[in-house]
Amino acid sequence: MATLSSSSAKPLSTHHAPWMSHIALVLQAVAALALAILILLPVLWMVTTSLKTTVDTFAIPPVLVFKPTLEHYEALRAEGAVFRGLLNSLIVASASTLLSIALGAPAAYVLARFNFKGKADLWFWIISNRFISPIVVALPFFLVARNLQLLDSHLALVLVYLTFGVPLVVWLCVDQFRAVPTEVDEAARVDGANLWQTFFRINLPLAAPGIAVAGILTFIASWNELLFALVLTRAAARTVPVEAANFMTGFGIRWGPMMATGTLIVLPVLIFALIASRSLVRGLTIGAVK
Amino acid sequence: MLRRVNWPAVALITPAVIALLAVGIYPLLFVLDVSLRQYQLTKPYLGTDYVGLQNYLSVLNDGLFWGSLGRTALFFLLAVPAEVVLGTLIALFVDGTRCRLCSAVLRVMLVLPIAMTPTVTGLIGRLLFNRDFGLVNYLLSLVGVEPIAWLGEPEPAMITIALMDIWQWTPFVALVMLSGLALVPQDVRESGHLDAGYGWHFFRNIQMPYLLPGLTAVLILRTVDILKLFDMVFVLTRGGPGVSTELVSVYIQRVGFRIFDMGVASAQAILLLVLCIVLSRAYVRFFYRQIEA
């Protein structure tokens, strides 16, 4: 590490003697390590607690070396509710993601390629859903779903998740389609392709990696959602965040199963986040940056 | 002048528009309608007649509603300045460090808290801040601090939810600021170092102008997201003890789905929506004027 010092770019302190810059480098590495621990510790604490026996969980001082047990995961499997919740979450998040892409990607293509009156307003309206508090949508959605007998169904959740899924896909995919050169469209038109063919056969495949990233972020947002799921489901369609929140009710918290549930929830999310890490911030700043 | 309508393009964009009208605009109109009605789900015999602005009046006279807004503002003041300062410092460190491995590893790590399920962040908070066996009290005991009932007392509970929010969202600020710092051109950077050295002057005169748009974005989004914040707090404290951590979205959820007074909850939701719009507009005006000036 120390060997790439002097000549490489971005020196913090070239005006000091070389040995001082080596010390600075070591200090920086220590600071980085401390920061990494601070970021990771809460997650690691959850994961290790999910693998500890109940006795070890309550130990003071905390046991750092212990014999891991899968007993809490076994308990969750035997009870079934959390695994059903995971399945419900998978169904709802996948369906709402696919639907968001099916609706959002063509709209993004049109917004990226065509100029028409009111385009800026339309775009802003789609994006402005980011600023609407879910509780505003949850109240009427609950009443409508109750009247239509859609409470506790996957469909109600899939539909309500479009309120953030479609804007997110549009926001991210407009960039993707803008990156496809317009010459490609013109060449296709010269060859006799109509707009739909140009979109489905040429632009869609070219923008596919970006659309996949938009899909991953939509999936994460749907998977993580609690408020709508809490309000719109009862038992059959309950998603896993609702199951996790339910550990907090009743007497005596079952820490092991609760932390095992938390681990099962975040595992896929963290993997997806690493895959889509470069677009995560772009996705989150929807509507607030140019 | 007659414009030729591009029907295939219209066909591509219309489904998204219809979907958002159905799931975005229709509920807004519905909630506006309900907010003007007497609408108590637990008392169906009262009917659902229009009552004019009565729900709004009762919200404006509701001390708990104002209290929840006040707590939300307090939470914002506890969490966001810390997130902005720490996030900016982390960004400057990751951008400036010569330890390239550190920079690369931290860029990856910073992503993790942002993607975490807020519900699980709440669960982790329960674990870390447990009075009897939580890691936080254990670490404090090493320096001689008596165990604190973090979730049992009003002020510590507020600090707990703020700390979990800081853990989850400081990395977001850091990554936004990092993308701002990446825009400083290399030649400006180099001549800046010659003119302003490496300390405060370099930050103030060279780097800060590139951070202001990101700061605006962060303030808008944190404001809106804290007004929306429900899941992490719901799981960690349920708004308690008492109502001491009941932020505005948690309170509206309670009125709507535990007291089932839909009329009043709808009026509260409309007021919250107006607040979101006004605040984000105000930020944009204020900060973009600063940048253009």
Side-chain angles (χ1 to χ4, degrees):
Chain A
M1 237 185 283
T3 48
L4 33 93
S5 60
S6 56
S7 68
S8 59
K10 291 194 272 175
L12 269 184
S13 49
T14 35
H15 46 298
H16 295 306
W19 63 271
M20 275 184 75
S21 87
H22 284 198
I23 289 180
L25 194 64
V26 171
L27 287 178
Q28 286 169 28
V30 170
L33 185 69
L35 192 56
I37 289 174
L38 214 55
I39 293 172
L40 280 187
L41 191 66
V43 185
L44 285 179
W45 209 253
M46 168 180 74
V47 176
T48 52
T49 303
S50 80
L51 298 169
K52 281 179 183 173
T53 61
T54 308
V55 176
D56 282 347
T57 299
F58 294 122
I60 291 286
V63 269
L64 297 177
V65 182
F66 58 92
K67 195 164 161 279
T69 167
L70 287 175
E71 65 181 73
H72 304 304
Y73 292 89
E74 297 284 349
L76 291 181
R77 207 189 51 174
E79 289 159 24
V82 165
F83 279 74
R84 266 199 306 281
L86 285 166
L87 184 65
N88 282 332
S89 282
L90 183 66
I91 292 169
V92 170
S94 308
S96 70
T97 300
L98 289 176
L99 200 52
S100 295
I101 290 174
L103 293 164
Y109 174 68
V110 173
L111 287 169
R113 275 292 190 272
F114 295 93
N115 280 311
F116 50 89
K117 204 163 164 250
K119 179 175 130 170
D121 293 327
L122 181 64
W123 184 85
F124 181 75
W125 170 63
I126 294 175
I127 298 308
S128 67
N129 281 283
R130 169 72 172 78
F131 297 99
I132 294 178
S133 176
I135 190 73
V136 181
V137 181
L139 290 161
F141 230 87
F142 169 77
L143 294 171
V144 174
R146 204 171 69 119
N147 290 341
L148 296 176
Q149 312 275 318
L150 280 177
L151 282 185
D152 207 17
S153 71
H154 293 139
L155 182 63
L157 279 186
V158 171
L159 290 177
V160 80
Y161 286 1
L162 294 180
T163 52
F164 54 81
V166 172
L168 193 56
V169 170
V170 168
W171 169 254
L172 290 165
C173 287
V174 165
D175 293 347
Q176 296 302 317
F177 289 119
R178 282 207 183 116
V180 177
T182 48
E183 287 81 6
V184 175
D185 283 34
E186 277 150 29
R189 204 168 309 136
V190 169
D191 288 345
N194 63 30
L195 180 67
W196 282 47
Q197 287 164 332
T198 312
F199 171 66
F200 283 107
R201 299 235 183 107
I202 295 159
N203 279 271
L204 209 53
L206 284 173
I211 295 172
V213 168
I216 288 176
L217 296 184
T218 309
F219 186 93
I220 292 176
S222 308
W223 181 270
N224 284 353
E225 205 285 329
L226 176 69
L227 178 59
F228 289 133
L230 193 70
V231 164
L232 295 174
T233 64
R234 289 289 169 275
R238 221 147 70 176
T239 58
V240 73
V242 183
E243 296 291 350
N246 274 343
F247 276 103
M248 306 313 314
T249 52
F251 297 101
I253 294 169
R254 299 163 63 218
W255 292 99
M258 186 164 100
M259 292 302 138
T261 304
T263 306
L264 290 172
I265 295 175
V266 298
L267 210 60
V269 169
L270 296 187
I271 292 168
F272 273 157
L274 291 179
I275 297 172
S277 62
R278 290 180 61 200
S279 300
L280 189 66
V281 170
R282 177 80 188 145
L284 279 165
T285 51
I286 170 171
V289 292
K290 295 251 166 79
Chain B
M1 195 178 82
L2 252 171
R3 277 166 177 261
R4 212 172 60 82
V5 177
N6 187 337
W7 288 110
V10 173
L12 286 178
I13 202 169
T14 305
V17 172
I18 292 176
L20 283 178
L21 282 173
V23 299
I25 295 293
Y26 175 68
L28 279 187
L29 297 174
F30 197 101
V31 85
L32 198 61
D33 179 68
V34 172
S35 76
L36 299 171
R37 290 170 184 270
Q38 146 100 3
Y39 212 121
Q40 300 202 41
L41 286 187
T42 50
K43 297 172 188 163
Y45 50 86
L46 289 176
T48 56
D49 291 334
Y50 283 106
V51 291
L53 294 174
Q54 197 185 304
N55 289 328
Y56 289 90
L57 285 177
S58 70
V59 172
L60 294 178
N61 288 318
D62 175 11
L64 278 172
F65 181 71
W66 291 109
S68 75
L69 279 177
R71 284 186 291 275
T72 310
L74 175 64
F75 177 79
F76 182 93
L77 291 175
L78 285 173
V80 175
E83 288 162 5
V84 168
V85 171
L86 293 173
T88 306
L89 288 175
I90 293 171
L92 289 171
F93 174 70
V94 172
D95 182 69
T97 180
R98 276 184 301 126
C99 170
R100 299 206 176 159
L101 182 69
C102 304
S103 166
V105 169
L106 284 176
R107 276 171 204 268
V108 173
M109 296 254 168
L110 287 169
V111 168
L112 298 178
I114 302 172
M116 276 281 287
T117 313
T119 305
V120 177
T121 307
L123 293 184
I124 293 175
R126 283 262 179 167
L127 181 70
L128 294 179
F129 287 90
N130 184 280
R131 187 188 172 283
D132 299 320
F133 64 93
L135 182 63
V136 173
N137 271 353
Y138 171 70
L139 293 176
L140 288 175
S141 77
L142 296 181
V143 290
V145 178
E146 291 290 305
I148 298 170
W150 289 102
L151 301 172
E153 304 280 341
E155 286 85 18
M158 184 56 105
I159 292 169
T160 304
I161 59 172
L163 284 172
M164 290 313 289
D165 196 76
I166 290 169
W167 175 77
Q168 184 154 32
W169 293 107
T170 297
F172 170 65
V173 179
L175 289 173
V176 170
M177 294 304 185
L178 266 173
S179 59
L181 290 175
L183 296 176
V184 183
Q186 194 59 38
D187 54 328
V188 173
R189 216 181 257 259
E190 279 159 15
S191 60
H193 282 309
L194 292 177
D195 295 338
Y198 288 85
W200 167 253
H201 287 290
F202 180 73
F203 171 71
R204 177 69 188 81
N205 297 315
I206 310 297
Q207 293 176 313
M208 211 160 91
Y210 290 89
L211 295 179
L212 279 179
L215 179 66
T216 312
V218 162
L219 288 178
I220 294 172
L221 294 171
R222 290 311 297 141
T223 304
V224 172
D225 285 345
I226 285 174
L227 287 170
K228 283 179 173 184
L229 181 62
F230 171 79
D231 31 18
M232 186 270 280
V233 176
F234 181 77
V235 172
L236 188 45
T237 66
R238 294 255 155 153
V243 293
S244 58
T245 57
E246 197 169 65
L247 305 189
V248 64
S249 284
V250 182
Y251 177 55
I252 300 178
Q253 194 270 350
R254 179 160 71 92
V255 173
F257 295 105
R258 282 191 268 172
I259 304 173
F260 284 109
D261 192 336
M262 289 289 164
V264 168
S266 297
Q268 292 171 337
I270 295 280
L271 291 173
L272 180 64
L273 185 66
V274 171
L275 190 62
C276 279
I277 294 167
V278 168
L279 282 177
S280 45
R281 293 267 135 186
Y283 276 130
V284 172
R285 286 194 136 195
F286 178 73
F287 280 96
Y288 285 115
R289 189 175 298 155
Q290 295 269 305
I291 291 161
E292 279 155 17

